[in-house]
Each structure stands twice: as C-alpha cells, then as structure tokens.
Amino acid sequence: MNQPSHSTPDSDVLVDIRDIHFTYGDRPILKGITLPIRRGKVTAIMGGSGCGKTTLMNLIGGRIKPSRGTLTVDGESVPDLRTRELFELRKRMGMLFQTGALLTDLSVFENVAFPIREHTKLPESILRKVVLMKLETVGLRGARDLMPSELSGGMARRVALARAIALEPMMIMYDEPFTGLDPISKGVIAKLIRQLNQSLGITSIVVSHDVAETCMISDYAYLVGDGRIMGEGTPTEVQKSGSEHVRQFMDGLPDGPVPYQYPADDYVTDLTRSIA
Amino acid sequence: MNTLRVLGGIVINSVERVGRAAMFLYEVLLGSWELLRRFYLVVQQVYAVGVLTLLIILVSGLFVGMVLGLQGYNTLVKFGSANSLGLLVALSLVRELGPVVTALLFAGRAGSALTAEIGLMKATEQLAGMEMMAVNPVTRVIAPRFLGGVIAMPLLTALFSAIGVMGGHLVGVGLLGVDAGAFWSQMQNGVDFHDDIMNGVIKSVVFGVVVTWISVFEGYDAVPTSEGVASATNRTVVYSSLAVLGLDFILTALTLGEV
Amino acid sequence: MINRKSLELWVGLFVAAGILALAMLAFKVGNLTSADVMDGYKVTARFDNVGGLKVKAAVTMAGVRIGRVSAIAFDNKKYQALVTMDIDGRYQNIPKDSSASILTSGLLGDQYVGIEPGGDEASLQNGDSFLRTQSALVLEKLVGQVIFNKAGESAPAK
C-alpha cells in the first residue's frame, strides 16, 4: 500500500495524500500530489482558481475517487471504504462550504441541530444546550431563530461553522472561507479558525486563494498549481520562496508561469484572417 | 454521416439517463424503507406537495365537472337521455379526467416545485453539505418527497373526481333541471366499483409514482446552475405530461381490453 | 415554515378529506353497496341468443335487482349461450319453473336478465338452471321481420 516517499508515515499525520492523480473526463486535474497534513495544525492549501483545490477536498471527503495514488485519513484508506464506513468517517470530519450550504428551509438553530438530530438520540433539553453552546462559540446565539435567507454572508458562514463543529470532529475542511466577505467578516472567520484549532485541537485544512488571511492563520502551507505541488513550507518560508511560480501567486503578478493569455493563435493572423 | 452520429449520441444519452433514473428510483425505494421510522419527514412533504396543491385541484375539479355537466347535457338532450347526465359526468371523471387532469396539474404545480427545490439545494451545495455530514441526501431529502407525492396523488385525484361530480350535479340538477333522483341512480347503476373506480385509483397511483419520480430525478440530476435548474423544471413538466398521457392510453387499453 | 401542530392538522384534514372523497366515489357514485351480491348462490340459464348482454349485468325480478350475471359462455354441444348468474342470498324463494328473459332498459339502454316467477312450490337451488328462457331481441331480426310482413301484406294487393 505505502510506497517509498520522501516523508515517512507517522501517527502525527492525520491526512496522508500520496501521489494522487485525478482525471475528469479526459482532462487531468491532479497530476501526482503528495500532501501530508499534520494533526492539530492549520494547513493551508493555496492555488489559483481551477487548480484542483476543491477536487482535493472532495477526494479527502470521499465524494470522488482518485484515478491513482493512496489517500488515508486517520489510517483509513478513503477510496476503499464502503459507504457505511465512509459515513462513519465523515461524522468525524467537518466541512465548511464556500456558500455555507445551510439548509434553507430550517432556522439557524435547526441547522446546527441537524447533524446532531441525524446521528444521535439526545433528548431535546440537552440538544438545546449543545446547540446554544456551538452558536455561542461563533457568537450567534442571539440569531438562533433567524432563517438562512435573513443572514449576511459572513453570518451564514459562521452558522455553517457552528454546524460543522456540532459533532466535535477531529478535523475541519474550509473551502474558500474568506471569499466574498468584507474585511471585518474575514477577520472574524480567521479568528474563529485559529481559535477552534487552539481550543479544541481540531486539525484544520484551509483551501483558499486569499494569501494574506491564509498565511496569517496557517502553520504550514502548500501551493498547488497545474495539478502539482509548486511550493510548500511555513507561511514565512513560502513568502520568501524564490520559485517563479510561487512568486507570481504570492505577489499577484498578472503574467508569469501562469500565462495571462489563454492559449490562442497569433493575434495579428487571427484578426486579419478572412472568414471563409 | 454527421447527422447519424448526432442521432447515435442522442440515443446513447437518453438510454443512459433512463438507466440513471432507474438506479435512482431503486435508491429512493431503499431510502423509503428507512423512512418508516421517521414518518414525520413524509408528513411534512404530504403537506408541501398535497395540501398546498389542494386549492388548484378543487377549483379545477369543480369547473371541469360543471363544464362536463353543460356539454354533456347539450349532447344527451338530443337523444332524449338527459337523465344519464350523472352517469356521463361520473364516468368521464372517475375513469379519465380525474386521474389525468389531476396528474397534469400536479406536475405543473407540485412537480415543478419539487424539481426546482431539489435542483437549488444541489446548486447551493446543500446536498453536498449533507453528504459531508454523513447524511444520505437520497434518504433525507429525496425519499420523503417521493413518498409524499405518491401518497398525495390518489387523494388529490379522489377529491378532484368527487368535487367534479358535485359540479356536474350543480349544473345538471341545479341549473338545467335534470331530475336529481335520476341523476344519482343512473350514475350508481352505471358506475362499477371494480371496473371504473378502482381503475381510476390504479391510474392515479401509477401517475403519482411516475410524476413524482420524474420530478425528483430531474431535480437531483439537474446541472447545478440557475440555467440548469430552469431547464430541469421545464423538462419535469414536459416529460411528466407526456408520460401521463402515454401511460393513460396504455392503462386504458389494458383495462378496457374487452371484459 | 409552518409549525408542527398546524402542519399535522392540515395533513390530517387532507388525508381524511381524500379518504372521504374516495368513499363517496365508492358508495354514492359507484355501486359498491348494490353491486355486491351477499352470500349469493349460482343459477344458470341457456339462451339461443344473448344479444349484447355483458358480464355484471343486472338480474332483476319485478324490476328489483336481485343479482348479477357472473359469466357468459358458449355451449359447444347445444349451440347455445350459457349464462351463469349470482343471486343474492336474501332471495331464496324463486320458484323452480320461473323463466328468464333478456330485456333492454329503454330503447338504447343496457341489457339485463329479467326473471318472471312461475308457480312451483319448490325453489331454485345453487347450481339449478332455468328451464324456460327467452332470448334477447335482436334489432336486425326484428326489422327484417317487419319488412317481410309488410312485403307479405302488400304483395296480394298488387
């Protein structure tokens, strides 16, 4: 199962991704990614849009299977799990979707209560306490009776976060947690990610292209581009990296290894070409 | 050559879709099994699919019955058998119009809403979110809606037919002066419980399964964009209506098939 | 979202109304009450021609429905139609020498079996058959007869 690799597998690694390939139709999305994620740390996965970050999350969550390579979470090989075992594993994983993915027909309270109601048989009085505690963690205890449509983007994401920690998972995956938020909300989410990681010891995976916020909260960062790992290290190491690819991403240069131009014919010939 | 290829592509695509729909139905039925322990989820959907469709069904039923009364009277009176008006109204409603019109209205009102709801849940990652919370969306979201539709349809059909008969009575007896006794007795003599009423009930159950199945499948299979959900909703109404009319012919042919 | 209590109430009302409508269709519109023959017994009759008689057609006596036709078969030896009827158990005393005829309700109505009582002391039992029967009136034959008679009348006058 395990192949020789530059990092030895140890119990410190919660999610072990080795040489993962993934092809969507004929299009290769991931071309051999090795990406160990350590327990109790905040790991950032950064990269441009469409570089396969979300695919990586779906692979970890077992929603899709890799074409090649091994992927274990807490020692269990995710692609080989049967549905029932996969569901058991997912109860120990939280995931925060970009849109929040709150159930629109349930109130804030019921949304947070949802995973608890589905998976446990807690009596209503205890359930209420648990839910209010989770809501208090994200500072939205007062918003319990609102419907998701009445929440702002940042609040919706905080409710989703409260829901993700409802079952006290061992890890949480954040899919673009900062996208589309105002600076205050960004700060709140960043603080929450850090705080949850420290107080509950939850392993966190932050997939994002917001360089500043992500570097601020993460312990270790991977830079993904073109289906490969382009760079890795602590945020400071990554920021100082000399790699052209890493530089382009970190500094937000319009042109570089990731070309500005979508592949096309020569501009002049294209313009002067007569339409047959 | 190219046209042939396109045709082949269409055929392969549709066969694939039918296959997926069948697999999906199997999954939904498995999920329905588990729902027996959490029946409140189904009750909620009976409300959403049934109770909220009630008004349009009752109003349409009343008017269809009244129109049948008028039209039927005008034709029957030429043959001097206006007394058979009750029979005509009841038979048309119970055997054909009740199940078919109810199913068509149901597809337009409840079916399209189901597709849009599920499609939007998919587009806003609510279904994916459930999956990641280790909750099977087929069991939790799709199966209750499916069962709700299957339960609601026969009840709606019965209500449609019943109120339609009243509408026919209103026009025939109230307005046109057909004898009330004759209206009911001719009806009772002519309408057979097994051949006519059970036939209508069977039709409504079949339509309920098919229309709800199409609705939830189109929603679940929708491309998760606003355009995708719109075209899925559109497909639900078109396919459901075609399926209802086609199946109606088959079911009628099977049951009428002499004796 | 509507609260749980009123939701349950609405669904309850809806289901009750639906079942009520179904019951109305069954009893008031349909013939569930009158159609079912209760602990009936079977009698048979042979007809030269049953015309348009159908299974489930009414069997009446003095205009009152007492049973229904349960089967119509063709007797290959006697070249006659064999009609089996279910008679309601409440009507046990039908004289053995009663006659059965196929009648039509109205000019265009359904055909049914009418029974004329005879005078016998003994009554029909399960499996018995009517000895005297009268076939259905076939319109074509009737019309043919009328034309034939007319022709017969007018011939000598020529």
Side-chain angles (χ1 to χ4, degrees):
Chain A
M1 200 99 136
N2 285 335
Q3 53 214 138
S5 166
H6 62 271
S7 68
T8 46
D10 54 71
S11 60
D12 198 29
V13 175
L14 181 65
V15 179
D16 198 9
I17 299 171
R18 277 168 199 277
D19 194 32
I20 284 284
H21 291 252
F22 182 76
T23 322
Y24 184 79
D26 313 322
R27 209 156 60 90
I29 310 263
L30 301 179
K31 305 167 189 167
I33 281 193
T34 300
L35 198 153
I37 289 165
R38 294 184 186 282
R39 248 177 237 278
K41 300 275 192 244
V42 178
T43 306
I45 301 175
M46 293 189 281
S49 310
C51 72
K53 294 175 308 209
T54 307
T55 308
L56 210 50
M57 286 222 171
N58 284 334
L59 282 168
I60 298 173
R63 298 189 58 219
I64 49 179
K65 286 190 195 306
S67 326
R68 196 142 63 79
T70 63
L71 197 165
T72 62
V73 174
D74 200 21
E76 295 184 79
S77 172
V78 176
D80 299 327
L81 290 181
R82 278 175 295 151
T83 314
R84 195 171 293 273
E85 297 162 333
L86 188 62
F87 272 37
E88 281 306 313
L89 181 65
R90 281 184 190 164
K91 286 183 198 171
R92 297 190 285 143
M93 287 183 193
M95 176 148 181
L96 185 72
F97 283 86
Q98 197 170 338
T99 50
L102 293 177
L103 303 172
T104 39
D105 57 342
L106 299 179
S107 67
V108 166
F109 182 93
E110 284 302 318
N111 257 293
V112 178
F114 181 82
I116 307 176
R117 282 197 205 281
E118 290 292 320
H119 295 306
T120 66
K121 288 195 169 69
L122 284 186
E124 198 65 21
S125 58
I126 299 180
L127 180 116
R128 182 171 172 279
K129 287 197 183 85
V130 174
V131 171
L132 291 184
M133 276 159 61
K134 302 297 172 193
L135 279 173
E136 176 69 21
T137 314
V138 297
L140 289 176
R141 189 162 46 84
R144 72 186 93 158
D145 294 324
L146 297 182
M147 294 304 284
S149 54
E150 299 168 292
L151 300 175
S152 70
M155 278 160 82
R157 231 167 276 184
R158 277 150 75 189
V159 174
L161 191 52
R163 185 178 67 176
I165 57 170
L167 290 175
E168 308 193 339
M170 58 181 181
M171 62 179 273
I172 300 184
M173 294 185 274
Y174 300 89
D175 187 3
E176 300 286 6
F178 306 111
T179 308
L181 294 185
D182 60 87
I184 304 174
S185 303
K186 275 188 190 179
V188 170
I189 296 284
K191 180 183 148 265
L192 278 173
I193 294 176
R194 201 67 241 181
Q195 188 187 319
L196 285 173
N197 171 251
Q198 274 161 0
S199 61
L200 303 174
I202 299 175
T203 308
S204 305
I205 305 173
V206 181
V207 164
S208 177
H209 51 234
D210 284 85
V211 176
E213 285 82 7
T214 314
C215 284
M216 202 169 74
I217 57 167
S218 54
D219 298 311
Y220 201 81
Y222 291 93
L223 199 72
V224 181
D226 192 28
R228 291 193 183 84
I229 302 279
M230 289 297 176
E232 60 176 287
T234 61
T236 21
E237 281 169 21
V238 173
Q239 264 162 336
K240 283 182 193 148
S241 161
S243 150
E244 221 182 323
H245 203 106
V246 177
R247 284 262 57 85
Q248 188 194 359
F249 186 78
M250 301 305 281
D251 302 340
L253 303 174
D255 212 348
V258 178
Y260 169 70
Q261 276 287 351
Y262 192 85
D265 293 341
D266 181 60
Y267 189 37
V268 177
T269 39
D270 207 3
L271 282 182
T272 51
R273 184 186 299 152
S274 57
I275 297 161
Chain B
M1 211 52 189
N2 227 6
T3 352
L4 272 180
R5 217 197 52 183
V6 170
L7 182 71
I10 292 173
V11 169
I12 289 172
N13 251 334
S14 5
V15 172
E16 265 178 11
R17 263 180 79 79
V18 171
R20 251 181 303 151
M23 288 291 295
F24 180 70
L25 182 66
Y26 172 73
E27 254 182 85
V28 169
L29 290 177
L30 276 189
S32 307
W33 221 194
E34 287 176 39
L35 270 180
L36 292 180
R37 278 181 285 127
R38 302 179 62 190
F39 207 68
Y40 184 62
L41 289 176
V42 181
V43 173
Q44 268 180 327
Q45 293 310 320
V46 172
Y47 177 82
V49 186
V51 177
L52 297 182
T53 317
L54 201 53
L55 191 64
I56 186 177
I57 293 289
L58 290 181
V59 172
S60 315
L62 187 66
F63 278 108
V64 168
M66 284 161 65
V67 169
L68 274 177
L70 274 177
Q71 293 276 20
Y73 181 81
N74 276 331
T75 311
L76 286 176
V77 88
K78 287 183 195 149
F79 301 102
S81 42
N83 281 344
S84 304
L85 184 63
L87 177 62
L88 180 124
V89 170
L91 271 188
S92 340
L93 278 169
V94 167
R95 292 195 63 112
E96 283 300 323
L97 289 172
V100 171
V101 177
T102 307
L104 292 178
L105 288 171
F106 184 88
R109 167 67 181 76
S112 57
L114 277 180
T115 306
E117 189 190 10
I118 295 171
L120 280 175
M121 287 181 88
K122 189 179 179 190
T124 54
E125 295 182 312
Q126 292 184 48
L127 297 183
M130 268 189 201
E131 254 179 64
M132 287 306 298
M133 283 187 275
V135 175
N136 188 347
V138 173
T139 315
R140 183 61 177 71
V141 175
I142 311 291
R145 284 165 173 76
F146 177 75
L147 281 187
V150 172
I151 292 171
M153 182 76 91
L155 297 174
L156 288 172
T157 304
L159 283 165
F160 183 98
S161 300
I163 200 139
V165 170
M166 310 256 207
H169 182 264
L170 205 69
V171 168
V173 176
L175 242 67
L176 301 170
V178 176
D179 178 54
F183 184 89
W184 289 109
S185 69
Q186 287 263 358
M187 192 191 301
Q188 284 180 0
N189 273 334
V191 180
D192 186 80
F193 180 72
H194 294 278
D195 280 359
D196 300 321
I197 294 178
M198 281 320 281
N199 176 272
V201 171
I202 289 170
K203 273 186 184 176
S204 70
V205 171
V206 172
F207 293 164
V209 170
V210 171
V211 172
T212 327
W213 176 23
I214 292 177
S215 307
V216 293
F217 176 70
E218 287 295 347
Y220 195 73
D221 203 49
V223 180
T225 59
S226 33
E227 197 206 356
V229 174
S231 70
T233 310
N234 193 5
R235 275 201 303 272
T236 291
V237 175
V238 174
Y239 291 166
S240 301
S241 309
L242 288 179
V244 164
L245 295 172
L247 276 174
D248 183 50
F249 175 75
I250 293 172
L251 287 175
T252 308
L254 280 180
T255 48
L256 277 188
E258 213 42 63
V259 182
Chain C
M1 198 70 191
I2 180 167
N3 74 46
R4 185 166 179 148
K5 278 219 175 73
S6 47
L7 185 142
E8 277 168 354
L9 182 67
W10 272 109
V11 171
L13 276 176
F14 170 59
V15 173
I19 290 171
L20 214 68
L22 206 61
M24 175 197 153
L25 290 178
F27 293 110
K28 193 117 172 84
V29 175
N31 51 359
L32 191 59
T33 36
S34 54
D36 267 27
V37 174
M38 296 200 298
D39 39 55
Y41 59 99
K42 283 188 194 310
V43 291
T44 57
R46 286 168 196 284
F47 294 96
D48 292 329
N49 191 330
V50 291
L53 190 71
K54 294 231 170 65
V55 170
K56 284 187 183 158
V59 177
T60 65
M61 210 164 164
V64 179
R65 188 187 178 112
I66 59 162
R68 66 173 175 199
V69 173
S70 61
I72 300 173
F74 179 64
D75 185 333
N76 216 354
K77 293 203 184 89
K78 292 185 176 168
Y79 304 112
Q80 279 181 322
L82 181 64
V83 173
T84 313
M85 289 164 263
D86 268 335
I87 308 291
D88 195 299
R90 284 172 294 178
Y91 312 110
Q92 290 285 2
N93 303 317
I94 300 171
K96 231 181 163 110
D97 59 347
S98 300
S99 71
S101 29
I102 295 178
L103 306 167
T104 310
S105 56
L107 193 59
L108 298 165
D110 278 345
Q111 284 183 308
Y112 64 98
V113 179
I115 296 171
E116 285 289 322
D120 205 323
E121 293 279 302
S123 53
L124 283 169
Q125 301 300 319
N126 189 24
D128 283 356
S129 59
F130 289 100
L131 297 174
R132 294 191 291 158
T133 61
Q134 192 188 340
S135 288
L137 226 56
V138 178
L139 205 60
E140 292 91 320
K141 280 190 184 167
L142 208 66
V143 173
Q145 232 164 24
V146 170
I147 294 172
F148 187 75
N149 286 350
K150 279 274 179 211
E153 274 169 34
S154 51
K158 203 188 254 180

